[in-house]
């Protein structure tokens, strides 16, 4: 019986949460193969762990994965996708206080702006938008790192003039009121892919059947998550420890991220993101094809 | 044993009234170090305490110094109960207790500086005292660099430097050779005669006690009590060479030594 | 005799560091670690010397040092004074002791988000975090050092007329100095770690920030430059502390 | 029968804790800051954590790692520290090395540590080990340096070999100082037990805490902080008891006569 | 000053050959504690060292004990150069150096246990020694609970307990009252006569030195040298009461005291 070492994070990998929390629903887990779960703080450490060979598969953001490839000699396949920004759904946005004089992106000039991770996945589209509005992100604003969890507080306390918002914090902040959306990432590009599942190429090549089984389970996990919202809420609650009433306000609703029913990666969208990163100078030009495995990719039945 | 009635002359500067001191040992047993001690010391008197090792001499000095408060009874200075140490009573500890982070000069200057004497003056006085105890040239040595007897002399100088009214000296010459000892005995007597200090002086040498004192307190063990108080009726100023030939002096020494032999110095803890 | 002794001890001290660097080189050369995770030492030191002369890198170092020193200084002042006060006064001890017991083992990083919001993203929050983490080792050492001060030293000073509160400065403090300095040494190392950690978590400057930005983009060499820098800073600061110690404790037998 | 002063002494810790909570409550009410919940909110979240079987398993996993890390650290650091204290050469050899190694934040070395040791227990135990060993080494070091030379000479004259002297004279003589180091080590063990789970998490008390932190569930964060504080009190009280037994011979005979009461 | 030629009889157990000891002080100055000391001690001899405070007596014992190595010159035992301490030479330190974590009994038993004596036997022997030094009943006291004189007696018992061939005693009776001192002198003489130990004995009491010794070494300061070696030609076994009346004894004492007075004991550091 083989084991696959998987890294995960919070908050939006419902398929994996199902696999962790409801293993009985998956005929193979714990029988045909085992999963050793390790949770990480953010995707960047997981990239390092993949590069160091300490993990076999992990949740990744396009940028962190690309960074691993460029700087860390990482070879990996994108085998599934967790969430993306669907049209009309949630898009990571920058919020300001209701009474703030900042009305447009151009008003951000000279202000203090919070971003969850400097140099992180959201910064490419963010920089693009600023540039389009005549702001040099390096000189014209003061950028500070404010994790999503404290962004609402930082904004309300006046520590920042604008800050990025993500679920579930956005839902919570909106429920309280007093803030408004300034702009969202979807303005830079539609259907941004936020997190996906990547596996080390050497591991996949050595254990194709094992990874196949894993991807199959991710696919079916995604199905179950979408099919049974009630149970998904419970599983997410167990993992995130966020109260169900809060989750209820957004999870798998219209104001949430999008999920592909088969967890299929949207390679063109990812390519577009890589292009934006290249355009903003965060990465050299990359071709998404190198992340594509011919057979092992969701959806797998 | 004869009961000792406390003598309380009008001019007593220190009165010890039925003081007992009980220590708790680690074995959680009570150990009586002093048992019902009463003693009055006149102003300006030179009183020696003699007694077998472990009979409570040091403890008695601690009580008068105000460092420990007795389990029962009380000690008074000029009629006020002693509740703590004060610059009126200067101790010279058996273990020296020099400040390791200060040089010889720093140790000796500590008291005068503390009393508000100006630095230059304090230094001059201290240097004179250091010379008196024979440590000229060692001013900048740290205590760890001194021999046992040298440390003892620094401790003596440190206490003399701030001119306490009452000196509480615990075997201050114990680690000194005969010659140095004699010199310092004379120096001490000179200071005492000049300033009329009150001195409470613990010693193991009967000679020394008789030579220096107005009064010798003999303690006995099991547990620490006063056995006898002997007035030494010898003329002052005393000179060792004369005194050695004085039959009264010799009689005192012989008497006290005999008394010692009668006591059993080897008691067991109560 | 003395200079010779010093040079042997310097050689002895350098030996293991050279060994570590050799081991590092070996790990890289023999492929135990890919160069993208562990760059060869030659590269790292080369980059370090390049960087050291640049104005931007010097500013990063300065930012880190300001936080480090400020936090450490606050920790020393608070730790020593509270520790001595607790040792000297049973009343204060009764209050301080349980508070220390509760607060000391708390993971202070968990309070960092709250500190950020309270004190902002600048120096304040990081200095506070450093001080909070370095405080307790110093406080505990001071407390134990001060409560075992030889009784007769205090008696001697009291008999010389030292007022009670002055005893604390004139006797308890110097007598507890060996223990206090040991606490400071530990506090200093912790300060180095924590200032770095704080900068790694949230910051826009400082060595820790340099490190995370390099780490995210897998610039292994640039990642090791701040690491080596903090390491060297630790060594230098500790050397300074050692000199201070030798001076302050020159009278003590162990010095 | 308890005398009033003894009663006051007994009550002092409780009063101090209550006072601390009261200050916290007042501060959080005054600051009105979501990431700084009130004491009452935090206390209310405790039963949820302690009532949850999974959380308990998590906490126990952390404690186990802590015990292992602490145990190894103490058993390595004390001999090393004592050797450094008694031998100039050993001190000259290790001192700079330690001072180069310790200031490096372990979190920054995670990629390499993961490369060799993975992301599991070993890595976290190593972090705890490093945290604990720092104070223990240095307190043992200084304690051993301060041992009175003549005691060692006495031992040598009785025929003790250098190794025996280290164990039978330096160790007991430096024990009070070593235990001070261990107590600081205990504090650091609890801290590193939590922080070692910040970046990579599998199970543990830090897992609960940092998850809550990532999710902005500050009442849980602070409830965990209270729980860790409570563990600190218990471990510390236990440690003090052991300490009192081991070094009764060194306790000062009188309290510092300095009370300002 | 007369130069002292080293006497080296065939049976010398300890030979000290032009030993000098220089200390570096914190003020970075050299301080000469011993200067060109040569001395031979015969097997089974009782040799006392007399000298002014700070003249280097303790330092000389440390050299023979092997605790410090001399700056120049060498000390030998049975022809082998002394490179370190060994159970053949048992020191009694001026500062006692008791193990504070052990009780009186624990301290005394330490040596015999170390030599491999069985616990019960070691305990019996130790208890006997503790009784001999007058501390029966204090077996379970910790050193901090003892008076100065009591600590000193424990230190003495601790060293006697493991039967070293050579005893290096640094003012072992300095903190004792006259009575206890006399008793222990006699006990020490008995042990010495029974086991024919070699004793190197530092004291400040001329009396004591003459009473106990075969040979008295007089040291002088500035810096520490041997001034005179005096053979004490008195019959053995000696009994104090008889000896006190012996004119030869008195002459020795008076001669040595006079010599002392001729030396200036108060030197300055070189
Ligand atoms: N902390 C303590 N705990 C228990 N017993 C103690 C303590 N301190 C002193 N004692 C006991 O009190 C008695 C008196 O001690 P003290 O030091 O006063 O004697 P002393 O007369 O000065 O003897 P010495 O001449 O040997 O110095 C001794 O029997 C000693 O064992
Ligand atoms: N570590 C040291 N550094 C510098 N000088 C020292 C050191 N140790 C001892 N000395 C000096 O060496 C000399 C001899 O000291 P030692 O202890 O041998 O004297 P002693 O004859 O035993 O005196 P005492 O009778 O007072 O004990 C003294 O002048 C002392 O100052
Ligand atoms: Mg005494
Ligand atoms: Mg000496």
């Amino acid at each position: 019986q083989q084991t696959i070492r998987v890294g995960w994070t919070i908050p939006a990998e419902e398929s994996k949460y199902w696999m962790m929390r409801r293993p009985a629903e998956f005929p193979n887990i714990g029988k045909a193969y085992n999963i050793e779960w390790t949770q990480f703080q953010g995707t960047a450490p997981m990239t390092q762990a993949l590069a160091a060979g300490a993990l076999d598969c992990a949740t990744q953001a396009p940028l962190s994965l690309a960074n691993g490839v460029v700087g860390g000699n990482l070879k990996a396949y994108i085998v599934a996708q967790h969430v993306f920004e669907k049209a009309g759904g949630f898009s990571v946005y920058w919020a300001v206080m209701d009474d703030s004089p900042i009305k447009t992106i151009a008003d951000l000039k000279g202000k203090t702006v919070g971003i969850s991770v400097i140099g992180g996945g959201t910064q490419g589209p963010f920089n693009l938008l600023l540039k389009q509005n005549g702001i040099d992100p390096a000189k014209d604003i003061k950028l500070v790192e404010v994790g999503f969890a404290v962004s609402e507080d930082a904004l309300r306390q006046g520590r920042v003039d604008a800050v990025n918002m993500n679920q579930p914090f956005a839902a919570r902040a909106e429920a309280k009121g007093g803030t408004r959306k300034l702009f969202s990432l979807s303005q830079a590009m539609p259907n941004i892919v936020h997190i996906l599942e990547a596996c080390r190429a050497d591991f996949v090549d050595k254990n194709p059947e094992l990874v196949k089984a894993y991807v199959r389970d991710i696919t079916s996990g995604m199905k179950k998550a979408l099919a049974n919202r009630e149970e998904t809420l419970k599983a997410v609650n167990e993992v995130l420890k966020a109260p169900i009433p809060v989750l209820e306000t957004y999870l798998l609703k219209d104001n949430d991220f999008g999920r592909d029913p088969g967890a299929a990666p949207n390679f063109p969208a990812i390519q577009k993101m890589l292009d934006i990163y290249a355009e903003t100078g965060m990465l050299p030009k990359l071709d998404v094809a190198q992340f594509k495995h011919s057979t092992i990719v969701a959806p797998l039945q | 044993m004869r009961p000792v009635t406390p003598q309380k002359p009008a001019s007593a500067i220190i009165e010890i009234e039925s003081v007992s001191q009980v220590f708790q040992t680690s074995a959680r047993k009570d150990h009586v170090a002093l048992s019902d001690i009463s003693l009055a010391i006149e102003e300006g008197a030179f009183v020696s305490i003699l007694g077998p090792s472990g009979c409570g001499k040091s403890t008695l000095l601690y009580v008068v110094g105000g460092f420990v408060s007795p389990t029962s009874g009380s000690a008074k200075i000029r009629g006020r109960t002693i509740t703590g140490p004060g610059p009126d009573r200067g101790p010279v500890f058996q273990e020296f207790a020099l400040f390791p982070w200060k040089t010889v000069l720093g140790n000796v200057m500590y008291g005068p500086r503390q009393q508000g004497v100006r630095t230059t003056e304090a230094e001059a006085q201290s240097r004179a005292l250091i010379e008196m105890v024979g440590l000229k040239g060692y001013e900048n040595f740290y205590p760890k660099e001194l021999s046992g007897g040298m440390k003892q002399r620094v401790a003596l100088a440190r206490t003399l430097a701030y001119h306490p009214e009452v000196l509480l000296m615990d075997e201050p010459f114990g680690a000194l050779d005969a010659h140095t000892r004699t010199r310092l005995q004379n120096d001490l007597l000179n200071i005492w005669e000049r300033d009329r200090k009150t001195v409470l002086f613990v010693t193991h040498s009967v000679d020394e006690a008789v030579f220096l004192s107005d009064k010798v307190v003999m303690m006995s063990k099991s547990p620490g009590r006063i056995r006898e108080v002997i007035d030494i009726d010898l003329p002052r100023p005393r000179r060792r060479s004369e005194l050695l030939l004085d039959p009264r002096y010799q009689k005192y020494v012989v008497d006290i030594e005999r008394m010692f032999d009668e006591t059993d110095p080897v008691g067991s803890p109560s | 005799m003395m200079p010779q002794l010093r040079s042997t001890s310097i050689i002895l001290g350098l030996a293991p560091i050279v060994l570590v660097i050799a081991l590092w080189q070996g790990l890289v050369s023999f492929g135990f670690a890919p160069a993208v995770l562990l760059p060869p030492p030659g590269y790292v030191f080369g980059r370090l010397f390049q960087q050291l002369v640049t104005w931007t890198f010097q500013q990063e170092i300065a930012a880190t040092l300001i936080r480090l020193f400020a936090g450490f200084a606050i920790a020393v002042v608070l730790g020593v004074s509270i520790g001595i006060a607790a040792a000297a006064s049973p009343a204060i001890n009764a209050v301080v002791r349980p508070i220390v017991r509760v607060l000391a083992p708390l993971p202070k990083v968990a309070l960092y988000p709250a500190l950020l919001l309270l004190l902002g993203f600048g120096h304040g929050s990081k200095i506070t975090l450093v001080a909070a983490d370095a405080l307790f080792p110093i406080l505990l050492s001071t407390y134990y050092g001060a409560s075992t001060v030889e009784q007769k030293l205090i008696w001697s000073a009291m008999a010389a007329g030292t007022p009670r509160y002055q005893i604390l400065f004139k006797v308890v403090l110097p007598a507890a100095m060996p223990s206090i300095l040991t606490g400071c040494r530990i506090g200093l190392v912790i300060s180095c770690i924590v200032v770095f950690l704080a900068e790694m978590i949230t910051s826009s400057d400082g060595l820790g920030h340099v490190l995370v930005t390099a780490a995210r983009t897998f610039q292994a060499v640039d990642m090791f430059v701040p690491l080596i820098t903090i390491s060297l800073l630790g060594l230098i600061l500790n050397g300074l502390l050692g000199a201070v110690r030798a001076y302050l404790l020159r009278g003590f037998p162990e010095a | 029968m308890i005398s009033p002063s003894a009663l006051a002494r007994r009550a002092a810790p409780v009063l101090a804790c209550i006072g601390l909570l009261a200050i916290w409550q007042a501060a959080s009410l005054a600051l009105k800051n979501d990431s700084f919940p009130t004491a009452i909110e935090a206390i209310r979240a405790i039963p949820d954590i302690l009532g949850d079987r999974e959380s308990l398993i998590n906490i126990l996993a952390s404690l186990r790692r802590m015990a292992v890390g602490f145990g190894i650290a103490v058993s390595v650091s004390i001999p090393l520290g004592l050797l450094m204290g008694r031998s100039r050469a050993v001190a000259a050899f290790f001192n700079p090395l330690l001072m180069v190694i310790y200031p490096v934040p372990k979190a920054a070395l995670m990629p390499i540590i993961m490369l060799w040791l993975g992301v599991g227990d070993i890595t976290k135990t190593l972090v705890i080990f490093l945290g604990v060993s720092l104070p223990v080494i240095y307190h043992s070091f200084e304690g051993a340096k301060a041992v009175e030379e003549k005691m060692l000479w006495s031992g040598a004259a009785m025929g003790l070999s250098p190794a025996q002297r280290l164990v039978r004279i330096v160790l007991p003589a430096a024990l009070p100082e070593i235990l001070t180091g261990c107590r600081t080590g205990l504090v650091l063990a609890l801290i590193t037990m939590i922080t070692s789970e910040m970046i990579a998490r599998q199970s543990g008390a830090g897992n609960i805490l940092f998850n809550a932190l990532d999710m902005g569930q500050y009442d849980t964060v602070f409830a965990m902080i209270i729980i860790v504080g409570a563990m600190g009190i218990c471990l510390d009280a236990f440690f003090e008891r052991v300490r009192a037994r081991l070094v009764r011979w060194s306790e000062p005979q009188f309290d510092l006569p300095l009370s300002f009461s």
Side-chain angles (χ1 to χ4, degrees), chain A, chain B, chain C, chain D:
Chain A
Q1 199 184 18
Q2 283 173 298
T3 298
I4 179 165
R5 294 168 300 168
V6 176
W8 60 282
T9 182
I10 47 178
E13 300 159 31
E14 290 73 21
S15 161
K16 280 160 107 174
Y17 304 157
W18 266 81
M19 292 161 73
M20 258 184 278
R21 290 288 154 172
R22 307 286 182 272
E25 303 272 328
F26 300 80
N28 289 333
I29 296 178
K31 291 174 199 88
Y33 73 102
N34 260 331
I35 303 179
E36 187 186 311
W37 298 100
T38 306
Q39 186 190 354
F40 281 80
Q41 189 175 40
T43 52
M46 279 191 280
T47 317
Q48 291 168 345
L50 282 174
L55 288 179
D56 303 321
C57 295
T59 310
Q60 287 288 283
L63 179 67
S64 55
L65 183 63
N67 269 328
V69 170
V70 173
N73 263 351
L74 178 65
K75 300 227 172 3
Y77 297 121
I78 296 174
V79 295
Q81 173 174 310
H82 296 289
V83 290
F84 64 102
E85 293 188 356
K86 68 176 181 218
F90 183 79
S91 172
V92 172
Y93 66 87
W94 265 256
V96 293
M97 294 304 291
D98 267 343
D99 51 3
S100 163
I102 303 171
K103 306 279 187 227
T104 65
I105 297 180
D107 293 340
L108 284 177
K109 207 176 188 103
K111 301 288 191 230
T112 305
V113 181
I115 187 166
S116 63
V117 176
I118 294 179
T122 52
Q123 196 163 4
F126 171 79
N127 281 2
L128 197 68
L129 277 173
L130 291 189
K131 274 188 192 151
Q132 285 168 359
N133 286 275
I135 293 181
D136 182 346
K139 296 207 194 88
D140 294 341
I141 57 168
K142 186 170 184 287
L143 211 55
V144 291
E145 255 186 23
V146 183
F148 286 122
V150 285
S151 51
E152 181 192 344
D153 260 331
L155 185 65
R156 290 190 196 277
Q157 300 258 319
R159 291 280 164 206
V160 288
D161 299 307
V163 75
N164 57 358
M165 287 289 193
N166 195 358
Q167 295 291 34
F169 312 106
R172 203 170 61 185
E174 284 156 17
K176 251 199 210 162
T179 65
R180 74 184 141 83
K181 188 186 290 189
L182 184 65
F183 65 92
S184 69
L185 289 184
S186 58
Q187 285 169 250
M189 145 183 188
N191 55 37
I192 284 181
V193 176
H194 277 295
I195 45 177
L196 38 82
E197 188 70 14
C199 295
R200 257 171 41 230
D202 57 330
F203 184 78
V204 177
D205 295 341
K206 214 184 282 164
N207 310 287
E209 286 314 311
L210 180 60
V211 180
K212 235 178 231 163
Y214 176 63
V215 175
R216 228 175 259 134
D217 282 337
I218 289 196
T219 311
S220 83
M222 184 62 94
K223 280 219 173 68
K224 292 179 207 291
L226 293 177
N228 188 351
R229 178 162 188 266
E230 199 83 338
E231 199 58 32
T232 306
L233 283 177
K234 276 191 205 147
V236 172
N237 161 264
E238 285 167 29
V239 174
L240 268 57
K241 299 276 183 320
I244 290 188
V246 173
L247 297 175
E248 177 62 46
T249 58
Y250 74 96
L251 194 75
L252 299 182
K253 285 167 86 170
D254 279 346
N255 58 339
D256 197 4
F257 291 118
R259 288 164 184 80
D260 184 82
N266 183 350
F267 286 106
I270 298 171
Q271 179 68 58
K272 182 143 184 241
M273 293 183 72
L274 293 178
D275 291 344
I276 290 182
Y277 293 136
E279 196 177 323
T280 46
M282 294 169 72
L283 278 178
K285 214 150 171 46
L286 285 176
D287 185 358
V288 83
Q290 60 179 300
F291 297 116
K292 237 186 239 171
H293 192 277
S294 51
T295 52
I296 305 176
V297 62
L300 281 183
Q301 304 302 330
Chain B
M1 248 183 252
R2 252 187 299 166
V4 184
T5 46
Q7 307 143 291
K8 211 186 278 183
S11 61
I13 180 171
I14 287 171
E15 292 154 276
I16 301 167
E17 281 163 12
S18 44
V19 159
S20 298
Q21 183 64 265
V22 181
F23 287 111
Q24 258 236 329
T25 67
S26 304
R28 304 242 165 271
K29 283 199 299 183
D30 282 352
H31 182 68
V32 183
L34 293 177
S35 157
D36 197 26
I37 299 268
S38 294
L39 185 69
I41 293 163
E42 286 161 61
E43 176 130 29
F46 198 119
V47 177
S48 287
I49 303 178
L50 277 172
S53 167
C55 71
K57 305 179 290 298
S58 301
T59 310
L60 185 61
L61 285 201
Y62 298 161
V63 170
V64 177
F67 307 123
V68 302
S69 40
T71 317
S72 71
S74 68
K76 290 185 181 156
I77 179 161
R78 295 193 200 287
R80 279 171 297 108
T81 303
I82 294 172
T83 54
D88 48 348
R89 284 149 292 141
V92 182
F93 292 111
Q94 201 170 3
E95 304 88 352
F96 323 144
L98 300 179
F99 301 129
W101 59 91
K102 284 189 180 289
T103 58
V104 168
L105 183 62
N107 266 286
V108 179
M109 272 174 67
Y110 184 88
R113 288 294 299 129
Q114 205 53 53
Q115 307 280 306
V117 178
R118 280 213 330 283
T119 312
T120 46
E121 200 179 324
E123 180 168 339
Q125 286 177 8
S126 302
R127 282 186 188 277
L129 268 170
I130 291 172
E131 180 159 7
M132 181 188 105
V133 297
L135 290 176
K136 193 174 162 65
Y138 290 96
E139 288 86 351
N140 296 320
F141 277 52
Y142 282 97
K144 67 170 174 184
E145 297 162 343
L146 302 178
S147 78
M150 290 158 88
K151 281 186 228 173
Q152 190 165 44
R153 286 178 277 160
V154 177
L156 177 69
R158 180 177 67 173
T159 302
L160 291 177
Y162 59 90
H163 305 295
E165 269 175 89
V166 181
L167 283 169
L168 306 172
M169 310 177 95
D170 203 346
E171 300 183 48
F173 305 143
L176 301 181
D177 60 288
H179 186 92
T180 313
R181 188 176 190 135
T182 311
R183 270 186 9 108
L184 285 178
Q185 282 171 358
N186 288 329
D187 288 335
L188 180 62
L189 269 192
N190 287 339
I191 290 174
W192 174 77
E193 270 158 16
R194 196 183 62 214
D195 305 347
R196 295 310 292 181
K197 288 190 190 305
T198 310
V199 181
L200 202 53
F201 188 94
V202 172
T203 177
H204 284 318
S205 157
V206 178
D207 261 40
E208 187 171 75
V210 175
F211 171 55
L212 294 172
S213 316
D214 297 320
K215 204 184 259 184
V216 172
V217 177
M218 287 194 61
M219 290 180 67
S220 69
K221 226 183 144 177
S222 68
R225 312 176 178 278
I226 292 183
R227 187 177 182 284
E228 189 88 53
V229 179
I230 298 140
D231 287 302
I232 306 292
D233 212 2
L234 291 171
R236 302 236 186 215
R238 299 181 187 162
R239 317 195 75 226
R240 176 166 283 270
S241 48
E242 290 166 18
L243 218 54
L244 280 178
L245 303 173
D246 191 326
R248 284 176 301 176
Y249 167 82
Q250 288 166 351
K251 182 161 183 331
Y252 279 124
V253 172
V254 171
D255 281 356
I256 292 175
E257 276 182 349
R258 182 163 316 129
M259 265 189 264
F260 240 119
D261 291 344
E262 284 164 19
T263 345
D264 176 20
V266 181
S268 60
S270 44
Chain C
M1 184 188 134
M2 279 311 269
Q4 192 189 335
L5 214 103
R6 186 162 310 147
S7 60
T8 28
S9 71
I10 287 177
I11 292 169
L12 263 177
L14 280 178
I17 295 178
V18 171
L19 272 177
V20 166
I21 294 175
L23 178 76
W24 174 3
Q25 180 67 54
L27 285 172
V28 179
S29 308
F30 295 105
F32 287 104
V36 291
L37 288 181
L38 189 63
Y43 279 19
V44 174
F45 283 101
R47 178 69 62 90
L48 174 66
F49 292 124
Q50 253 175 35
Q51 293 273 37
L52 274 181
V53 295
T54 64
W55 174 236
T56 37
F57 193 69
Q58 285 167 0
Q59 274 187 313
E60 311 283 6
I61 295 182
T64 300
L65 278 182
I66 289 171
R67 293 164 186 159
L68 176 70
F69 281 133
F72 178 62
I74 293 171
V76 170
V77 170
L78 284 181
V80 171
S81 45
I82 298 175
I84 286 188
S89 155
I92 296 178
N93 191 16
V95 177
V96 167
R97 195 187 182 85
I99 294 181
V100 168
R101 273 191 175 165
V102 178
L103 294 187
L106 299 186
K108 318 285 181 305
V109 272
L111 303 176
Y112 190 47
L115 285 178
L116 282 175
L117 293 176
L118 282 179
L119 303 170
F121 297 96
H123 288 321
S125 51
K126 292 167 190 77
I127 290 173
T128 311
L129 192 68
V130 170
D133 262 318
L135 172 66
F136 291 103
I138 300 174
L139 197 160
L140 288 175
S141 311
T142 306
Y143 171 73
Y144 283 113
S147 52
T148 50
V149 170
E150 165 69 45
Q151 210 69 47
K152 286 182 184 107
L153 294 182
I154 295 174
W155 291 355
S156 297
M158 290 177 106
T162 317
R164 287 177 182 223
Y165 67 92
Q166 277 190 23
I167 295 270
L168 296 182
F169 301 103
K170 300 210 156 146
V171 183
V172 180
L173 184 66
M177 196 50 86
S179 201
I180 292 175
L181 288 174
T182 309
C184 286
R185 177 180 240 168
I186 293 159
L188 184 63
V189 174
I190 290 179
S191 301
C192 288
I193 298 176
V194 172
V195 74
F196 217 91
L197 204 63
E199 288 175 350
M200 281 172 67
I201 295 174
T202 286
S203 176
S204 44
D205 57 354
L207 292 171
H209 178 73
V210 173
L211 180 128
V212 269
T213 40
R216 278 186 199 136
T217 51
F218 277 85
Q219 313 276 292
V221 177
D222 285 331
M223 204 184 110
F224 272 80
V225 166
L227 282 183
I228 299 294
T229 312
I230 195 81
S231 209
L232 290 178
L233 277 181
L235 192 65
I236 293 169
L237 292 179
N238 193 58
L240 289 179
L241 193 69
V244 170
R245 182 188 179 90
Y247 176 74
L248 287 178
L249 299 190
R250 62 201 181 284
F252 286 77
E254 66 256 38
Chain D
M1 232 194 51
I2 303 172
S3 69
S5 73
L7 195 71
R9 218 176 310 125
R10 292 258 174 90
V14 181
L15 289 177
C17 288
I18 292 174
L20 220 55
L21 290 175
I23 292 170
W24 172 4
Q25 180 76 15
S28 64
L29 285 177
L31 290 169
K32 284 215 209 54
N33 184 328
D34 271 350
S35 51
F36 190 35
T38 64
I40 292 172
E41 282 166 344
I43 291 172
R44 255 200 245 120
I46 294 178
D48 278 351
I49 299 177
L50 294 185
D52 184 14
R53 220 179 78 87
E54 198 186 334
S55 305
L56 283 180
I57 292 173
N58 269 326
I59 292 173
L60 284 180
S62 284
L63 282 175
R64 195 198 62 232
R65 273 196 295 270
M66 190 198 83
V68 173
F70 185 82
I72 300 176
V74 165
S75 45
V76 171
S77 313
I78 293 178
L80 177 61
L82 294 183
L83 270 174
M84 284 170 66
R86 289 321 311 175
S87 156
R88 261 173 206 283
V90 176
F93 186 84
F94 281 105
N95 213 353
L97 179 67
L98 296 178
M99 275 306 142
V100 165
I101 290 176
Y102 275 116
V104 177
K106 266 51 75 185
L109 289 178
M110 264 308 178
I112 304 181
I113 299 177
M114 283 188 300
L115 173 67
W116 291 315
L117 302 177
V119 288
D121 272 8
I122 302 181
T123 303
K124 286 165 201 153
T125 311
L126 176 73
V127 173
I128 296 172
F129 168 86
L130 287 172
V132 176
S133 57
L134 170 72
V136 181
I137 289 180
Y138 279 101
H139 276 280
S140 309
F141 176 31
E142 303 297 350
K145 258 209 297 200
V147 172
E148 199 194 332
E149 196 98 277
K150 272 158 202 137
M151 243 143 60
L152 289 163
W153 292 358
S154 296
M158 290 174 191
L160 272 78
S161 67
Q164 282 177 317
R165 262 177 277 162
L166 201 67
V167 175
R168 301 192 46 194
I169 297 180
V170 180
L171 177 65
L175 198 57
E177 186 74 28
I178 294 174
L179 289 179
T180 306
C182 289
R183 172 140 191 230
T184 309
L186 199 63
V187 164
L188 290 178
L190 278 163
I191 293 179
T192 47
M193 168 186 97
I194 300 292
T195 53
S196 68
E197 295 164 27
M198 185 164 87
I199 291 178
R201 309 165 194 162
Q202 275 172 328
S203 61
N207 187 13
I208 302 176
L209 188 147
F210 286 108
N211 263 353
L213 204 57
D214 286 353
M215 290 305 301
Q217 319 258 251
Y218 292 102
D219 49 350
T220 309
V221 172
F222 280 81
M224 262 328 283
I225 287 180
I226 295 178
I227 291 171
V228 174
M231 286 193 234
I233 297 182
C234 297
L235 285 175
D236 225 33
F238 172 73
F239 183 81
E240 274 301 298
R241 203 160 273 203
V242 173
R243 178 192 167 85
R245 278 207 100 119
L246 287 177
V247 297
R248 194 167 40 193
W249 53 268
S250 80
E251 296 293 297
Q253 297 169 47
F254 316 94
D255 284 332
L256 281 192
L258 290 172
S259 80
F260 297 96
S261 46

